[in-house]
Amino acid sequence: MSHTHAHVEIRREDYTPPDYLIETVELRFELDAETTLVSSRLALHANPDRVGRAPELRLDGEELKLISLQLDGVELAPERYRVEEKHLVIPDPPERFILEAVTEISPARNTALSGLYVSGPMLCTQCEAEGFRRITYFLDRPDVMAVYRVTLVAPKSKAPVLLANGNRIETGELPDGRHYATWLDPFKKPSYLFAVVAGDLVALNDRFTTMSGRKINLELYVEQKNLGKCDHAMASLKRAMRWDEEKFGREYDLDTYMIVAVDDFNMGAMENKGLNVFNSRYVLASPETATDDDYQAIEEVIGHEYFHNWTGNRITCRDWFQLSLKEGLTIYRDQEFSADMQSRPVKRITDVRLLRSSQFAEDAGPLAHPVRPDAYLEINNFYSMTVYHKGGEVIRMLATLLGPDGFRKGMDLYFERHDGQAVRVDEFVQAMADAGGRDLGQFMRWYDQAGTPVLTVTDHYDAATRSYQLIVEQSCPATPNQPEKKPFHLPLAMGLLDRQGRELPLRLSGETGGDSRSRVLELREAQETFTFTGVPEKPVPSLLRNYSAPVKLRYDYTEEELVLLMTHDSDPFVRWEAGQVRAGQVILDLVADRQQGRGMALEDSFVAAFRTLLTDAKQDRAFLAEALTLPAESYLAEQMEVIDPDAIFEAREFVRATLGTRLAAEFQQTRAACAPSGPYRPDDGLSGCRRLRNLCLSYLMAPGSQPAIDAAFGQFRSADNMTDSIGALMPLAGCDCPERGEALRMFYEKWKGDRGVVDKWFTLQATSRLPGTLSEVIALLDHPDFEFTNPNRVRSLVGAFSQSNQVRFHDASGAGYRFLADQILKLNTINPQIAARMVTPFSRWRRFDAKRQEMMKKELERILAEPGLAKDVYEIAAKSV
Ligand code: B3K
Ligand code: ZN
């Protein structure tokens, strides 16, 4: 990295305890969109655990105008403090004192959406990770925890609703049509969990009785027009509350749980204590406007934020390097919640798909970092797939290693030891180790070493001794600053199948008895051999059942062996995976054919296996839909030495079109068998059916025949729900036919008043594989509904095009790259967090051919040359180039 930039790198090893602690915080907000006055009263004292004598006090503060400052009730003389760009410094404070500051901020000008800002009819906050310092001067770090008392003052007409964390302890009227509300949060919390919301909102109210019989008020705040779209979120919340009691014995702790939906939000949602703020896309749903996937995502995010109340809020992070302590753990918890609410195998498959398509790519590139990073310039850049989703896999491995009872004991011990504290990942793993009576020292490498490990498995069968050896080698590629890796401790869940597909008993040599059909081998060394005895014939190994570790598995399966696993293995993940491996081989072979100028032809055996699966009436339909979905272009790309986006797209499309033609009758039949028999209900248990039906339609549409287009257009016009509407519109949007324009126009006309649906409309066009897509996307930037200030809208167009349309983004002309860089530079001044997120596609430049490499690098350099580049964008671009 260049040494000329002014950004300071924060390193994990430099952690020191805070010099001062804050016991209580009193805040008073005179709310106004243009100018809000924030009066704070902090009870500070020197930290008894600090290193050395109490030095100067350095409070964090950004974009604040200091109006007044008092220490112990006396106005501070100018020589006793200084205001720096990002700090307020008091060189020589007493041991214990009260600091009162009045600052002025402007929510309306806050387009970064961090701190206090305007979204539609309300003022709201986002403080994680470092937004609180944009509200008032503070020790804005998670290990400074305090009790907050907050008074909000606003004109009653503009903001009838005034919310903050905790309990409302006082309300009242003030002159000039203003009113106020005072809130007290009895739980000590770090500043990142602080929240206020004020605006013209209405609430959906409900009740929840906890396992100990306490009655909790549930309040979901939205704009009046959205009140009818809250039922699913509320039902999901109640399910999450019950689930956490049943699975982890965790009960809610305040009397009220509030959720507010806002349209302008940088990420999905935020777990502020007692007052979650949500991106409205993860709250609002109706059958007409939300797809089955949307319903699913809402349940997941509602669960996630709720589960944070224990894993994140009651026990929080000591410093931001420990982020996965709360995020990895909470991802694991929300995954398990969703798995219990729907099909567990399908949930696992979807999670693995996401991990492999996004986290693996991150781990293989210049932005690779450990689950617990070592250094950052901008912490917001580390809310990453690695910290969240690989972090979740790490927790899952602990659960697999310890077993359900051991894991639960470990969780209980963790809560018992650390409730109310700000801790590190080490404390969590120690609780697991102590509860399970295990040494997890080596396991900690998962937190410290980046990169995706590769397991290479070979085997050897000896008929004379009826013994079977599995030889497992593990390695991990070099990542930035980590050239060498040590072996990981990991669970390899497996089984053995005979050639009829029957599961064989698994007895390791030296063991007596025991004839389990599935077991977990623990790996610790770079190479290990496991010898099974009493094996009657050379078996087919079923490896990494339920995807027991976030690794890449290499085993040289024959086509017959993959078919055997696909049709007979007891583990649904392995069944699915065998099909994916097979499909991947077929497509990548075709890629090679195409690259070498040979014609493409699809093997009959592949079509036959596909037909068998498609017509297997015994299969669960949601599972079937997963099994019949080909590996994504991005996942195929990961497996190529040099990514050829055109060849991948064409080979994959060729397979889809060939299947669509040769199995047309079967696809039509299955589609008909899945036709709806009554009106849509999101929870009717038929979402798998709808998914399969829409998948059949997309295969039928792949060759582009008129009857298929008619069928799609017919479904589009008659659909009574968004799942089927999008299911038809998506293939139409990718089809060069007159119905395309017609359907997109009708869709927009019908839904132009609904933000969430208009986002879908932008995305459908941005992800179309038609050759003219980039020009359409550029034209859409000028659409009256496109706004650079709204993150969802930016993601729906710019993000969707650059992250979900590999073949068009990587157009050989480089036009896609220029487009993206232009938008990043525009966003840089508006919203640095969103701008930085948009840079990631460029970080993959090394994976492409020389010409594309050159062009992508040029755009990265253009970004880096921009004067006034935000450090968020700088960090990603500089590491990428
Ligand atoms: N904790 C928040 C994410 C905050 C992101 C800050 N840039 C949401 C979540 O993970 O639940
Ligand atoms: Zn989270």
Side-chain angles (χ1 to χ4, degrees), residues 590-794:
L590 291 171
V591 167
D593 289 342
R594 190 191 164 281
Q595 286 179 322
Q596 284 149 33
R598 290 191 294 265
M600 295 192 282
L602 189 57
E603 295 165 48
D604 289 335
S605 62
F606 185 75
V607 180
F610 212 87
R611 176 185 289 116
T612 310
L613 199 56
L614 176 58
T615 51
D616 182 351
K618 296 187 305 295
Q619 295 276 0
D620 168 65
R621 280 164 167 160
F623 178 83
L624 199 52
E626 294 301 331
L628 295 173
T629 301
L630 299 177
E633 286 166 76
S634 55
Y635 183 59
L636 294 163
E638 276 303 298
Q639 297 172 48
M640 287 185 77
E641 199 76 40
V642 177
I643 299 174
D644 182 341
D646 301 306
I648 293 174
F649 169 69
E650 278 164 35
R652 191 176 181 277
E653 274 315 289
F654 171 77
V655 174
R656 281 178 15 90
T658 309
L659 291 170
T661 306
R662 292 186 50 191
L663 302 179
E666 288 85 349
F667 280 122
Q668 274 155 10
Q669 236 163 31
T670 306
R671 181 166 180 263
C674 289
S677 52
Y680 171 97
R681 275 191 302 113
D683 56 353
D684 55 9
L686 296 175
S687 63
C689 214
R690 286 185 285 270
R691 179 178 294 274
L692 184 56
R693 179 165 179 261
N694 286 326
L695 184 73
C696 290
L697 181 61
S698 83
Y699 274 108
L700 288 165
M701 279 286 283
S705 72
Q706 193 57 44
I709 295 171
D710 293 343
F713 201 54
Q715 175 174 322
F716 170 71
R717 273 184 310 199
S718 63
D720 71 342
N721 66 85
M722 186 52 74
T723 306
D724 289 337
S725 176
I726 291 278
L729 191 50
M730 189 134 67
L732 280 171
C735 153
D736 188 9
C737 56
E739 288 82 351
R740 171 184 202 266
E742 176 69 2
L744 283 167
R745 199 187 48 72
M746 285 166 64
F747 190 78
Y748 178 76
E749 275 311 310
K750 180 162 181 193
W751 294 115
K752 59 188 172 194
D754 188 300
R755 274 172 174 279
V757 184
V758 171
D759 284 336
K760 294 183 197 301
W761 180 79
F762 276 101
T763 296
L764 282 166
Q765 297 170 83
T767 53
S768 159
R769 264 54 169 176
L770 289 177
T773 295
L774 176 58
S775 334
E776 272 193 35
V777 169
I778 292 174
L780 284 170
L781 289 175
D782 293 324
H783 191 280
D785 285 343
F786 184 78
E787 311 166 73
F788 275 104
T789 48
N790 178 262
N792 287 2
R793 196 51 51 87
V794 170

Side-chain angles (χ1 to χ4, degrees), residues 327-382:
E327 295 304 348
L329 180 53
T330 304
I331 284 279
Y332 170 76
R333 276 152 57 69
D334 88 50
Q335 288 178 348
E336 286 298 292
F337 168 58
S338 296
D340 282 344
M341 297 299 123
Q342 45 148 322
S343 154
R344 179 166 279 272
V346 170
K347 174 63 179 156
R348 186 69 188 130
I349 289 166
T350 338
D351 290 338
V352 174
R353 234 196 253 284
L354 176 68
L355 182 83
R356 284 171 166 174
S357 60
S358 310
Q359 197 279 326
F360 278 22
E362 183 167 274
D363 235 356
L367 302 174
H369 54 274
V371 171
R372 178 160 69 177
D374 295 312
Y376 60 77
L377 291 185
E378 172 52 61
I379 183 57
N380 286 315
N381 286 333
F382 285 80

Side-chain angles (χ1 to χ4, degrees), residues 86-99:
K86 296 186 168 177
H87 293 101
L88 168 64
V89 185
I90 303 179
D92 198 16
E95 277 283 315
R96 184 173 282 276
F97 57 102
I98 301 291
L99 191 71

Side-chain angles (χ1 to χ4, degrees), residues 468-541:
Y468 174 71
Q469 291 189 321
L470 265 187
I471 303 114
V472 188
E473 286 174 66
Q474 58 160 304
S475 64
C476 182
T479 48
N481 304 318
Q482 294 186 337
E484 306 283 346
K485 308 295 166 81
K486 295 194 178 111
F488 291 91
H489 177 194
L490 66 99
L492 174 64
M494 51 79 64
L496 298 175
L497 266 58
D498 72 11
R499 299 283 148 173
Q500 273 73 55
R502 290 177 301 224
E503 311 248 339
L504 295 168
L506 304 169
R507 189 171 312 138
L508 285 172
S509 79
E511 286 178 349
T512 48
D515 66 342
S516 70
R517 260 61 176 175
S518 191
R519 63 186 290 167
V520 176
L521 305 177
E522 288 194 32
L523 307 184
R524 293 174 184 270
E525 313 289 336
Q527 184 179 337
E528 274 163 283
T529 301
F530 299 89
T531 306
F532 295 90
T533 57
V535 184
E537 59 178 294
K538 183 176 193 310
V540 178

